[in-house]
Amino acid sequence: MPLSTTALIALLVIISLMLAAAVAWRAAHMRAPVDQVLTFGALILLPGFAMWASFTQHMASSETTRFCLSCHVMHNYGKSLYINDPSFIPAKHFQNHWVPQNKACFTCHTDYTMFGDYRAKLRGLRHVYVEYFGKVPSPNKIKLYTPYNNRECLHCHAGARNFEEAKGHHKKPGMMAAIQANRLSCLNSNCHEFIHDRTGIAQDPIWKGAAADAAANGLPKGVWK
Amino acid sequence: MSVAKSRLRWAALLICAGLIVFLATLFSVHPLYFIAYAMIGCPLVLLGMFFYLAALWADRKEKLEPESPSRRAG
């Protein structure tokens, strides 16, 4: 069975830990140049590598749907992924695997620009800070930093036949060009306006497979109970 | 134990503590574990590395300093 990345990083951390412990144990007796090389490896190289590897692992974890929905304030957003109504765009994408289920939030809420991923992660760090050390706003007061850019939709849909040939996208002359130039919003132009229903979620019909699907994705119980 | 060796031991202990935090947080997908990694684990390892460099500095100083008469007599 192949080792997972996490297991490999854990192995690296354990080896690094054992060497550092050996240095702590034998510190009084270290003299020879070979000891100096060993201490440099045990106290600088390996811990540095372990720190970098753990950081990349934590960054990868922070992109997961489970991570995003683990804060209580996000539970209704998670529930909205299970609304049994295809007019709700996130629910339709999530339930049909049009976005990777384990990275659903990140797939749509990162900017597809050169530094989009980093910007999204910096915002995420701010959200973590607010969750634990600040004042968490009520779900209906949470808004996007900037209006949703069509670029994020077009990252996947541009060039797709069902997007390019859809009658709704050619209702008026120049409509497709306006969509592509972000002059006509996909979401705010009464075309695909049903996004996350955060406040009326209790009344929305929920997909009957939601509990099993959420459990399979490791989502917190608050999302599906 | 000399200053350099004492610092070396402290460096190793701090790094061990940081690495234990890394290990404890590695398998969990939750913002709290990320905070523990970033706010506890990383500073401990970095502090350990700093102590290691301080130990090298102290070792160099000890080698350059002439031995005191009392040490020579002992």
Side-chain angles (χ1 to χ4, degrees):
Chain A
M1 197 178 89
L3 280 171
S4 72
T5 312
T6 316
L8 278 175
I9 295 170
L11 192 65
L12 171 71
V13 174
I14 289 169
I15 292 169
S16 185
L17 182 61
M18 284 164 69
L19 281 173
V23 171
W25 183 256
R26 299 284 302 163
H29 307 285
M30 292 200 156
R31 273 177 192 281
V34 67
D35 287 340
Q36 288 170 358
V37 173
L38 274 176
T39 52
F40 183 77
L43 303 184
I44 297 284
L45 286 183
L46 275 175
F49 191 46
M51 188 157 67
W52 169 78
S54 306
F55 180 75
T56 55
Q57 179 65 20
H58 278 288
M59 282 291 115
S61 298
S62 72
E63 293 176 8
T64 61
T65 311
R66 186 176 161 192
F67 183 94
C68 299
L69 299 182
S70 56
C71 291
H72 180 72
V73 71
M74 285 291 124
H75 284 181
N76 277 359
Y77 288 84
K79 278 180 189 160
S80 74
L81 297 175
Y82 288 110
I83 295 174
N84 195 20
D85 181 345
S87 55
F88 282 85
I89 296 299
K92 188 180 180 182
H93 281 70
F94 183 79
Q95 290 168 27
N96 292 307
H97 295 203
W98 291 352
V99 290
Q101 278 199 311
N102 64 338
K103 287 188 179 183
C105 309
F106 190 75
T107 303
C108 296
H109 290 283
T110 185
D111 296 352
Y112 288 100
T113 55
M114 186 185 268
F115 300 110
D117 283 8
Y118 298 103
R119 208 174 300 140
K121 281 169 182 173
L122 281 174
R123 285 172 179 170
L125 275 179
R126 187 172 169 270
H127 298 165
V128 170
Y129 174 81
V130 171
E131 171 73 17
Y132 294 108
F133 306 108
K135 192 175 174 226
V136 181
S138 58
N140 57 342
K141 285 191 177 168
I142 296 175
K143 291 187 172 71
L144 293 174
Y145 290 93
T146 53
Y148 199 80
N149 197 311
N150 289 357
R151 174 190 59 216
E152 275 60 86
C153 306
L154 295 173
H155 180 73
C156 297
H157 290 284
R161 185 177 173 185
N162 63 357
F163 170 76
E164 300 284 344
E165 293 182 0
K167 282 181 187 166
H169 297 156
H170 297 279
K171 276 191 289 195
K172 293 174 194 166
M175 195 172 174
M176 184 56 93
I179 292 168
Q180 285 170 339
N182 197 37
R183 291 196 307 273
L184 181 67
S185 170
C186 301
L187 307 182
N188 301 325
S189 52
N190 296 327
C191 297
H192 303 287
E193 73 272 36
F194 296 113
I195 317 298
H196 296 287
D197 186 8
R198 300 156 301 185
T199 47
I201 193 77
Q203 284 80 46
D204 290 324
I206 298 294
W207 173 37
K208 63 179 179 186
D213 191 75
N217 279 300
L219 301 185
K221 282 183 184 172
V223 171
W224 49 274
K225 269 201 168 176
Chain B
M1 194 191 288
S2 68
V3 175
K5 283 172 182 168
S6 168
R7 284 181 187 170
L8 187 66
R9 174 163 285 170
W10 269 108
L13 289 173
L14 285 166
I15 287 172
C16 281
L19 290 169
I20 288 169
V21 175
F22 285 2
L23 206 56
T25 59
L26 194 61
F27 293 94
S28 301
V29 181
H30 194 280
L32 265 186
Y33 290 93
F34 177 76
I35 288 182
Y37 162 81
M39 303 269 211
I40 303 170
C42 288
L44 280 172
V45 169
L46 291 173
L47 198 63
M49 289 174 171
F50 174 77
F51 263 73
Y52 171 71
L53 295 176
L56 287 184
W57 181 255
D59 188 49
R60 189 182 136 88
K61 258 177 91 177
E62 280 168 13
K63 278 178 187 160
L64 287 176
E65 277 173 7
E67 280 190 69
S68 64
S70 58
R71 279 176 70 186
R72 214 178 298 143

